[in-house]
Amino acid sequence: MEFIDYNRLLANKYKRRNFLLGAGFLTGLTITSQWHPVLANPRFSADPFSLGVASGDPLPDSVVIWTRLAPNPLLGGGMPVKNVPVRWQVALDEKMRRVVRRGVAMATPELGHSVHVDVRGLDPQRWYWYRFQVGREFSPIGRTRTAPALYTLPQKLNFAFVSCQDWQNGFYTAFRHLAEENLDLVVHLGDYIYEYGPREGAPRQHNGPEIISLDDYRNRHALYKTDPNLQAAHAACPWIFTWDDHEVDNNYVNLIPEDDQTLGDFTQRRINAYQAYYEHMPLRRSSLPNGLDMLLYRRFTFGNLAEFNVLDTRQYRTDQPCDDGLKPRCADAVDDKGTMTGSEQEQWLLTGLDQSRSRWNIIAQQTMFAQYNFNTNPSPGVFNMDQWDGYVAQRNRLLNFLNDRRVSNPVVITGDIHSSWVHDLKLDFDNPNSATIGTEFVGTSISSDFPVQFIAPVQASLSNNPHTKFFDGAFRGYVRCQLTPTLWQTDYRVVSSILDLNASVRTLASFVVQNGQPGALVN
């Protein structure tokens, strides 16, 4: 199977693959949709753009812009079963006076009246503004940015990465501050929504019980998208997305659910979740779900400065070994057959890293990559089986590859664990004198909880993990990164509270990585 590296050299292949990937599904969609009448002059009793706008998947000459028509967002969207033409514009100025691209997209019931426009023919490394119109209603204006041209060496890239935004656990004040940062890009590493039912006493409540059906997932995504701070962050710059488990079901892997569900029931649940995810994210047609499958791992190149390898470590993963949990490793945790990514994605990753011309090679993924012994005593080791510590053989293959092929400045960015960490990536984590071949930055959550009772035990176990340079479990926020050809700087930005809509933000800790010198230094 052929996979996409998003750059101009593969432009023709990309166009053809986009067509082929979507052909079967879109043909059916077109046939189905042609029976729906077109609502040419729609009128709405409420704002049809209640979920805001977003952009994503930036390339040197294109970017995806997104919206979804939803005048009644928490009750299925509130749209009639009709096709609705939506006008779109892209301009060089925030007042939308110098329009350079425009067109009409059809919002169909089959995709929840979502709109994904892959705007082509743009200039590289440039800010643009965009908006949508349906009937007499206009969307908010969003801002987006294309990637730099291939083989150029930009002098700076500002991006942030985020994850884990449990609606019920607190407010999205972190997103308000993120929207005010001078960012070229945001990378979301998963747990965009949570599938759980309402939690008594929570600051905010989920809309309905644990989600199962397509309508359930649509309504849950819509609930999260109604947050004004999240909308502001989406409208500020383009995002790159991958998912983790809660977009479907906690700790699921492949077709294995967390709890008692039949294969048939969970298969349908995953189909529902994947479709709703696509409907609510600014993704290319190459990521359009095909039944059970959705292609979400992909590569983005920012000139010769940085390349992002975006992984999917849920869809193709083998079951968590040793019956999951936090425990000493059993034989399955070191089995060569254990995989986070599946063999095809692993080969895609290694090939891309080997061929990269970029100064900084970023692996954007979900669960903590570095080894971490949670035991307060050195032995026996106690490890998290849902992290890469449960998939030791594949991690060793990747670490050895990075070392043998001398991949330039590998940096792993990670979410999932609702806390902040910095690790040196060692060729042999059990030997402190082993070569350091890369760096991992693990970001805290936007709002999801890290249990207070776990903080002290982790702090007590740090001495058993000398490659771990930093840990904090008390604060929520996001991670801001500034890249230049010679230096990577990471700032852990945290809010004073997730229960205060006016919470302040500050830099909790700052680290740098120097070009050609793997490992993090306190800034």
Side-chain angles (χ1 to χ4, degrees):
M1 185 175 184
E2 177 190 2
F3 296 102
I4 303 168
D5 286 350
Y6 285 142
N7 58 49
R8 267 205 189 99
L9 289 182
L10 298 182
N12 291 333
K13 186 182 292 185
Y14 162 75
K15 291 175 184 175
R16 171 147 179 85
R17 176 166 171 74
N18 270 356
F19 174 78
L20 292 175
L21 274 171
F25 184 90
L26 288 177
T27 299
L29 180 62
T30 302
I31 292 172
T32 303
S33 297
Q34 72 182 354
W35 300 109
H36 299 317
V38 174
L39 193 61
N41 297 297
R43 295 180 181 273
F44 303 95
S45 58
D47 181 10
F49 299 107
S50 62
L51 306 184
V53 299
S55 68
D57 280 13
L59 306 182
D61 60 352
S62 69
V63 69
V64 176
I65 59 174
W66 170 94
T67 193
R68 180 187 169 209
L69 305 182
N72 195 346
L74 304 187
L75 289 174
M79 291 293 295
V81 185
K82 295 181 179 180
N83 298 330
V84 181
V86 180
R87 295 180 177 87
W88 57 269
Q89 294 178 321
V90 174
L92 298 176
D93 65 302
E94 58 186 328
K95 294 185 178 180
M96 304 298 296
R97 290 172 177 167
R98 293 185 289 163
V99 174
V100 293
R101 293 288 183 274
R102 68 176 77 230
V104 178
M106 194 67 73
T108 68
E110 286 74 18
L111 289 179
H113 290 98
S114 62
V115 176
H116 303 71
V117 181
D118 188 354
V119 184
R120 307 285 183 95
L122 302 177
D123 293 330
Q125 202 171 0
R126 183 161 192 166
W127 288 106
Y128 291 93
W129 286 259
Y130 63 95
R131 70 178 176 186
F132 299 89
Q133 180 186 359
V134 58
R136 298 178 179 178
E137 304 289 338
F138 286 90
S139 75
I141 295 173
R143 187 177 75 151
T144 192
R145 185 172 175 83
T146 50
L150 293 178
Y151 311 129
T152 59
L153 184 59
Q155 294 305 298
K156 186 185 295 184
L157 174 66
N158 294 319
F159 80 94
F161 64 90
V162 299
S163 64
C164 306
Q165 52 199 58
D166 187 347
W167 174 275
Q168 297 191 116
N169 206 54
F171 299 113
Y172 291 168
T173 313
F175 277 132
R176 176 168 65 83
H177 292 291
L178 181 144
E180 295 168 353
E181 301 271 13
N182 182 27
L183 298 174
D184 302 311
L185 177 72
V186 172
V187 181
H188 200 293
L189 298 174
D191 293 345
Y192 191 96
I193 63 166
Y194 280 68
E195 80 280 19
Y196 302 134
R199 191 177 81 234
E200 185 176 353
R204 302 195 285 189
Q205 292 292 320
H206 275 156
N207 50 340
E210 182 157 339
I211 51 180
I212 301 293
S213 70
L214 177 57
D215 283 344
D216 292 342
Y217 281 99
R218 282 174 171 168
N219 290 339
R220 185 61 53 83
H221 274 281
L223 175 68
Y224 280 53
K225 278 285 203 298
T226 59
D227 187 278
N229 291 326
L230 177 56
Q231 288 191 14
H234 274 301
C237 65
W239 289 36
I240 292 172
F241 296 87
T242 188
W243 52 29
D244 198 12
D245 52 341
H246 288 289
E247 285 87 353
V248 181
D249 183 31
N250 180 52
N251 267 25
Y252 94 97
V253 297
N254 207 308
L255 286 174
I256 303 170
E258 177 190 35
D259 44 21
D260 292 332
Q261 301 171 56
T262 67
L263 177 60
D265 286 345
F266 185 69
T267 298
Q268 186 59 55
R269 184 181 186 182
R270 195 177 106 167
I271 290 171
N272 297 337
Y274 282 18
Q275 178 171 339
Y277 185 86
Y278 177 82
E279 289 174 354
H280 289 85
M281 303 298 162
L283 295 165
R284 279 193 165 73
R285 189 171 294 172
S286 54
S287 292
L288 187 72
N290 182 10
L292 264 179
D293 304 317
M294 181 169 168
L295 180 60
L296 205 58
Y297 64 91
R298 56 222 194 280
R299 184 171 292 117
F300 296 92
T301 301
F302 287 73
N304 283 355
L305 180 62
E307 189 162 86
F308 290 83
N309 299 275
V310 182
L311 303 189
D312 174 355
T313 63
R314 286 291 167 185
Q315 188 174 179
Y316 314 102
R317 195 205 288 207
T318 54
D319 198 9
Q320 291 96 341
C322 319
D323 201 28
D324 208 351
L326 200 65
K327 60 188 62 172
R329 290 190 184 110
C330 65
D332 287 345
V334 296
D335 191 331
D336 284 345
K337 295 178 182 178
T339 177
M340 273 280 194
T341 63
S343 59
E344 289 185 344
Q345 184 179 184
E346 180 178 354
Q347 188 56 53
W348 167 88
L349 173 62
L350 299 182
T351 300
L353 290 168
D354 199 35
Q355 296 176 351
S356 172
R357 300 187 181 191
S358 292
R359 185 70 49 89
W360 302 97
N361 285 282
I362 304 155
I363 300 174
Q365 55 95 53
Q366 292 73 27
T367 62
M368 203 152 74
F369 184 80
Q371 176 174 290
Y372 195 84
N373 179 6
F374 286 89
N375 198 349
T376 54
N377 297 313
S379 183
V382 173
F383 304 99
N384 187 333
M385 295 298 113
D386 188 52
Q387 297 176 171
W388 285 81
D389 274 333
Y391 302 81
V392 174
Q394 185 182 14
R395 180 174 64 193
N396 287 342
R397 289 195 298 272
L398 179 52
L399 290 169
N400 280 285
F401 182 89
L402 294 172
N403 183 62
D404 294 344
R405 302 301 296 174
R406 299 185 182 277
V407 174
S408 177
N409 297 319
V411 177
V412 178
I413 59 174
T414 299
D416 177 66
I417 200 170
H418 309 172
S419 45
S420 301
W421 310 65
V422 178
H423 305 288
D424 287 349
L425 298 179
K426 310 292 285 187
L427 195 58
D428 180 359
F429 286 107
D430 294 323
N431 178 8
N433 297 319
S434 176
T436 298
I437 59 171
T439 310
E440 180 178 22
F441 295 111
V442 182
T444 187
S445 60
I446 290 291
S447 61
S448 304
D449 188 39
F450 186 84
V452 173
Q453 65 269 26
F454 292 167
I455 295 176
V458 172
Q459 291 172 333
S461 63
L462 285 170
S463 60
N464 297 330
N465 300 273
H467 59 279
T468 300
K469 302 297 185 68
F470 177 70
F471 163 76
D472 176 79
F475 292 99
R476 315 277 77 79
Y478 53 92
V479 183
R480 182 181 66 192
C481 303
Q482 183 180 95
L483 280 60
T484 72
T486 59
L487 194 73
W488 173 307
Q489 179 172 324
T490 290
D491 300 320
Y492 284 84
R493 302 280 283 166
V494 298
V495 292
S496 55
S497 172
I498 57 172
L499 302 180
D500 180 2
L501 287 169
N502 297 310
S504 60
V505 68
R506 65 185 175 95
T507 298
L508 177 67
S510 184
F511 294 84
V512 296
V513 180
Q514 298 174 355
N515 175 43
Q517 300 181 35
L521 302 172
V522 176
N523 188 27

